[in-house]
Amino acid sequence: MECDQAHYENGRDEKLIYSAFSVRAFPFRNTDLYLGFSEDEKKVLNSPVFDGSNTPSFDRLQELDKNLFLVSRIEWICPESASWNLFSMNALDLSVIRSESISADPVNSAFKPLSDVLRRVPSWEISLPLFDVLNTLHAFYSKQKLRNLQVISRNGLEYIVSFDGKTKLVENGVIKNLEVASLFMDEGVFIEDKPPNLLEERLKTDPGKVILDRTFGWSDRLDEGFILESSKKEIGRKWWSVGEAHFDSSVTCPCGCNHD
């Protein structure tokens, strides 16, 4: 996860802090997931750019092409007061690259055998656990609670490599561009008569098909979590319980010894 940008934006009542992150996945070579990545990505994974832990070597980070291994994008918006925090993740259910010489059928190409596709990676499925962990950490640290959770589906895109080696984006009606957005709030914002409806405001500028839209009160909770579109992975199971937990560390000094 790499921060691409961070800046201030003008909000209705106070300045907003906006940040955006690129998410990359580095598959282990003994897994089925590895097979779906492109030959260029596999070549880099097997090069000295990566160390023995399947992680890019710190000394060779500059050699890593930032266009490789991308699976999703995460955004985080909050006001200066941090009274609410909006997290969103955008990913394709399938990230596909194909050769123009292989197929002239853009609708069905995403689901052809791997031999006919240069890259086919389940980006949404890969990225959801990370989104879940980030929200869980935020719930624990901030003690804020979930106000809204929304999932939006839009038409997806695929990359096509033309005969001359150039890459272009083409809309694909089978592939879905999925976005999940979670809005956490302080209790004070929660109990206002009209808390800021930030998710509705986002839809006005970037419409899509809403396939999940849940709103919660301060005393509500959903410890069974959510199963989201195009995934068998569960998120949100700990967002309420961990926010109510208090863990006291016995480490009270820099030496790391127990001084209770």
Side-chain angles (χ1 to χ4, degrees):
M1 183 173 171
E2 178 183 6
C3 183
D4 294 326
Q5 56 176 305
H7 59 262
Y8 284 103
E9 294 182 350
N10 292 323
R12 290 184 301 179
D13 302 316
E14 58 182 317
K15 283 187 176 181
L16 305 180
I17 302 170
Y18 170 87
S19 52
F21 305 83
S22 293
V23 178
R24 294 179 179 83
F26 309 124
F28 286 98
R29 281 157 279 188
N30 61 345
T31 63
D32 291 339
L33 186 62
Y34 172 81
L35 300 175
F37 281 78
S38 70
E39 291 303 317
D40 288 339
E41 290 166 323
K42 293 174 185 175
K43 183 178 179 179
V44 175
L45 276 171
N46 290 283
S47 76
V49 173
F50 279 74
D51 60 24
S53 67
N54 211 60
T55 306
S57 171
F58 181 79
D59 295 333
R60 308 190 71 162
L61 276 177
Q62 299 302 319
E63 300 177 37
L64 181 63
D65 185 344
K66 292 192 174 184
N67 293 313
L68 300 178
F69 304 104
L70 288 171
V71 291
S72 61
R73 177 182 176 86
I74 289 178
E75 295 182 352
W76 178 14
I77 304 174
C78 67
E80 286 188 304
S81 64
S83 59
W84 56 264
N85 288 262
L86 177 61
F87 300 91
S88 64
M89 185 193 75
N90 185 270
L92 298 169
D93 59 346
L94 280 176
S95 296
V96 175
I97 301 176
R98 66 181 178 89
S99 172
E100 191 173 47
S101 60
I102 291 176
S103 173
D105 184 357
V107 174
N108 298 311
S109 62
F111 299 96
K112 289 194 170 187
L114 285 173
S115 59
D116 291 338
V117 178
L118 303 179
R119 185 186 198 252
R120 181 168 58 180
V121 174
S123 296
W124 175 252
E125 187 82 356
I126 294 171
S127 304
L128 274 176
L130 175 60
F131 185 78
D132 185 35
V133 167
L134 291 174
N135 281 263
T136 303
L137 288 172
H138 175 75
F140 172 68
Y141 172 77
S142 69
K143 304 305 178 185
Q144 294 180 342
K145 292 187 179 180
L146 183 69
R147 174 65 179 180
N148 297 98
L149 183 74
Q150 196 173 81
V151 179
I152 303 166
S153 178
R154 302 179 178 91
N155 288 336
L157 301 167
E158 65 178 359
Y159 287 91
I160 297 179
V161 180
S162 61
F163 298 104
D164 57 4
K166 294 181 180 180
T167 303
K168 60 183 177 181
L169 277 171
V170 176
E171 187 170 325
N172 185 311
V174 175
I175 295 174
K176 296 178 182 177
N177 180 10
L178 297 168
E179 179 182 9
V180 55
S182 57
L183 176 61
F184 288 81
M185 291 181 176
D186 287 340
E187 185 175 8
V189 182
F190 240 103
I191 61 177
E192 289 180 3
D193 291 336
K194 292 183 179 180
N197 201 334
L198 299 165
L199 298 186
E200 280 190 9
E201 292 176 5
R202 287 168 63 88
L203 277 175
K204 290 178 182 177
T205 58
D206 196 3
K209 179 183 178 183
V210 178
I211 55 180
L212 175 67
D213 191 0
R214 293 287 301 269
T215 301
F216 296 89
W218 183 256
S219 60
D220 295 338
R221 57 189 300 154
L222 189 70
D223 288 334
E224 62 266 30
F226 307 88
I227 299 293
L228 299 188
E229 180 84 1
S230 301
S231 174
K232 296 179 181 179
K233 288 185 169 62
E234 182 183 78
I235 70 168
R237 191 176 183 87
K238 297 181 179 179
W239 294 358
W240 283 269
S241 59
V242 78
E244 298 167 351
H246 296 277
F247 302 105
D248 297 320
S249 174
S250 62
V251 179
T252 57
C253 75
C255 69
C257 302
N258 190 331
H259 292 275
D260 289 345

